[in-house]
Structure formats: C-alpha cells, structure tokens
Amino acid sequence: MQVPAQFQYEKATSVEHALELLAAYGDDSMVVAGGHSLIPMMKLRLAQPETLIDINDVHELARIGVDRDSVTIGALVRHAELLDSPVIGEHFPILHDAERVIADPAVRNRGTVGGSLCQADPSEDLAAVFVALDAVALIRGLDGDRAVPVRQFFTGPYSTVLDDGELLVGVRVPIHSSASAYAKVERRSGDWAVASAGAALRLDDGHVARAGIGLTAVGAPSFGAPEAEAYLVGGPATEERFVEAGTIAAEHCSPIADQRGPVDYKRHLAATLTTRVLRTAAARWRGHGNHEES
Ligand SMILES: Cc1cc2nc3c(=O)[nH]c(=O)nc-3n(C[C@H](O)[C@H](O)[C@H](O)COP(=O)(O)OP(=O)(O)OC[C@H]3O[C@@H](n4cnc5c(N)ncnc54)[C@H](O)[C@@H]3O)c2cc1C
C-alpha cells in the first residue's frame, strides 16, 4: 500500500490563522481541504509537503452568500452542498448540471470548490463552469485581498496565479446570465470528462446579449472559448448559430490523445457539446416563459 512521506499537521481555525501558518511554515507547507486530490498525490509522492495545514475548521470559508448582483461561494463549500443549494439551482442551473456528474457521492461529500480550482486539473469540471459564468476568484494573503477573473486564474495544467502564502477564499459569481447548462461525456458514470462544455447566456428578445462558454479536458486555452462567445453576441439565438459557435470553439481547442480518446474524437465532442449546452440554455430560457418577438 502506498503511504505518504512523513509530515507535520496543523489545524487552522480561521483564515487569518491559516495565513499565519502558511507564512510560518513557508514553501514546504500545503493547505488540505477535501484531500481528494492532495492525499492521493502525497501517497504517490507527487506532493511531499512537510506540513499540512487543514482548513476544514475554517467555517467562514464554508458559506454561500447572496446579494443583489452576485452569489459568493466559499472555498470550503463541498460539491454536495452546491448540489443541495436551492439558491445555486435557481441562479446557476449549469452548476447543478455539473455537480451531478462530478465523481461520485463519496468524493462530492468531501471535495471542495476551492480544492477543485486550486488543483487546476485540465479535466476539472468547475473551471469550465466558472469560466462560462464569468466568476471571480477571491484570494487573500497576509498583505491583503485580490480578485482575479477565473479566466485568468489558471496559468497552465496544475498551476494557478496563487502565490506562496495565499489562500483562495471563495468565488464570486455574477447573476447576469438568464440561462445556463452543462454537459459532459465520460467513459463511465463518475469518471473524469472525455470532454465537457458549459454555457451561460443572457438573452434579450431572442438575441444573445451575453455569452459565456467553458470547456474542459479538450485543451481550450484557460478553459474558455472567447472566439465562439464573440461570434454569438449580438446575433439571434438560433440553432444554426449554435452549431457554428460549436465549430468555432472546437477549432480553438488543442486536445491531446490519451486513454480517454483520440484528438479528433475530443475535438468533435467539443463542438457537439458546445452546441448542445447552448441549445439547452436557450430552451430553458424559453421554458421560463420568455418568448422572442416575431
Ligand atoms: C475518484 C475521483 C474522481 C473525481 N472525479 C472528478 C470529476 O469527474 N470532475 C472533477 O471536476 N473533479 C473530480 N475529482 C476531483 C474532486 O472534484 C476533488 O474535490 C478536487 O480534486 C479537489 O478538491 P479537494 O477539496 O479534495 O482538494 P484537496 O485535495 O484538499 O486540495 C487540492 C489542491 O488545492 C489546494 N487547496 C485546496 N484548497 C485551497 C484553498 N482554499 N486555497 C489554496 N489552495 C487550496 C491544496 O493545497 C492542493 O494543492 C475527482 C476526485 C476523485 C478522488
């Protein structure tokens, strides 16, 4: 059985305390949240922190807060809590769609929003969701706070803009899309994505006033599809344009061949799934009693 290398363990009781511990233990320390990515990596000796700083008792990070224009999701909110939240379901159906297909209940009960984003796995579902929603990562260090659009949060596979000693404290999601959806193709239930796409649209009289598209597992730059978004904005929300947006999104992806499939298949999925989520989002908008003027 694989076991991690020896490490020290500290339990933070507040954000300030976690930041102090990070500063005290320096480069050789790592935060642990749900542990579903970090602990396997420690067992494989891909991560060997000398000190683990457990943030599971930092309750201020475990809240979902709502104001007039946005919803703030704390870094320690678990996948299962997002799935159970009526506020999230009401404003962001895309998040509920995604959470239903992330891993299995055991992982969803422990895994956190912050851990998922900070792990920055190229196949991670919430990255695509938060890119589509134009969310902002809220970061805190001993020197103060900064807010970084999730589109700029990832600097590469398993790499983010977080500096040593900083903590992701949450994600602020603007409530400016009227409809959204997420779809994923996986080899079996609970698996990581072969490819996934998310879309968040604001539609005015059947025209696209805002478009957010996120893609995962297909090598989309920063999990986004800005060219397809730009194509959609200002035009009618029609099937033909959704198909064309899918084609554009796929053209700008750089999938790699692996055990989940060859390049062409993943690129095909990127196009098909993008079209599908745009279609579903628009259908949901119409289903809420919104009808285009003829
Ligand atoms: C079997 C299995 C299947 C999975 N399937 C999927 C899937 O289909 N789709 C998907 O998207 N994910 C999937 N996951 C990942 C899952 O979503 C985990 O929740 C996620 O990897 C990490 O969350 P965590 O809270 O466990 O983070 P941890 O493992 O605790 O931490 C991960 C990394 O983030 C850092 N970190 C954590 N919190 C913070 C913070 N607040 N500030 C700064 N750094 C922080 C840690 O130091 C570490 O480097 C799967 C995981 C498993 C084990």
Side-chain angles (χ1 to χ4, degrees):
M1 190 169 64
Q2 287 158 330
V3 291
Q6 207 169 16
F7 59 89
Q8 289 192 73
Y9 176 83
E10 294 277 2
K11 196 150 189 144
T13 51
S14 67
V15 170
E16 276 316 298
H17 187 208
L19 294 174
E20 283 161 15
L21 289 169
L22 280 169
Y25 289 104
D27 291 358
D28 297 323
S29 63
M30 287 181 86
V31 163
V32 63
H36 270 299
S37 292
L38 183 55
I39 303 301
M41 286 178 68
M42 288 171 64
K43 287 181 172 178
L44 293 167
R45 310 282 171 116
L46 294 171
Q48 294 199 41
E50 285 181 8
T51 308
L52 266 193
I53 299 170
D54 185 341
I55 58 170
N56 282 277
D57 276 359
V58 183
H59 302 298
E60 63 204 277
L61 294 179
R63 297 186 190 125
I64 298 175
V66 190
D67 63 29
R68 212 163 58 87
D69 303 322
S70 64
V71 175
T72 300
I73 302 169
L76 204 57
V77 171
R78 318 270 171 193
H79 294 296
E81 290 165 341
L82 283 182
L83 197 47
D84 287 345
S85 163
V87 167
I88 296 295
E90 178 192 348
H91 293 297
F92 313 118
I94 183 175
L95 258 172
H96 271 190
D97 290 348
E99 288 295 357
R100 280 189 201 99
V101 292
I102 290 179
D104 49 46
V107 174
R108 293 201 292 263
N109 283 338
R110 289 299 295 168
T112 64
V113 169
S116 296
L117 293 179
C118 294
Q119 182 66 17
D121 189 299
S123 300
E124 203 261 306
D125 290 286
L126 290 186
V129 170
F130 287 127
V131 163
L133 288 170
D134 254 346
V136 174
L138 306 173
I139 298 169
R140 189 168 303 165
L142 281 179
D143 293 338
D145 290 349
R146 60 190 180 117
V148 176
V150 173
R151 284 171 190 257
Q152 293 161 25
F153 182 73
F154 304 101
T155 50
Y158 307 102
S159 153
T160 72
V161 298
L162 278 185
D163 285 333
D164 288 343
E166 284 187 322
L167 205 59
L168 179 68
V169 291
V171 183
R172 189 173 60 235
V173 194
I175 307 174
H176 60 193
S177 301
S178 39
S180 62
Y182 193 76
K184 171 172 172 176
V185 168
E186 52 199 342
R187 292 175 302 175
R188 57 184 175 272
S189 175
D191 195 8
W192 292 86
V194 178
S196 303
L201 298 174
R202 189 168 75 241
L203 297 173
D204 291 333
D205 286 339
H207 278 65
V208 179
R210 181 198 167 267
I213 296 173
L215 290 156
T216 199
V218 289
S222 303
F223 296 93
E227 298 83 4
E229 293 168 355
Y231 166 78
L232 285 169
V233 171
T238 59
E239 175 68 13
E240 296 70 32
R241 290 176 63 80
F242 292 162
V243 171
E244 181 60 19
T247 304
I248 296 170
E251 275 168 10
H252 289 86
C253 291
S254 306
I256 53 164
D258 59 14
Q259 75 277 19
R260 292 193 171 82
V263 168
D264 288 351
Y265 175 54
K266 292 186 182 185
R267 201 184 293 283
H268 165 77
L269 288 180
T272 305
L273 291 174
T274 299
T275 301
R276 185 180 301 169
V277 290
L278 289 166
R279 188 189 296 136
T280 304
R284 283 176 174 167
W285 179 80
R286 294 186 182 104
H288 277 87
N290 300 295
H291 298 285
E292 294 96 303
E293 290 178 352
S294 53

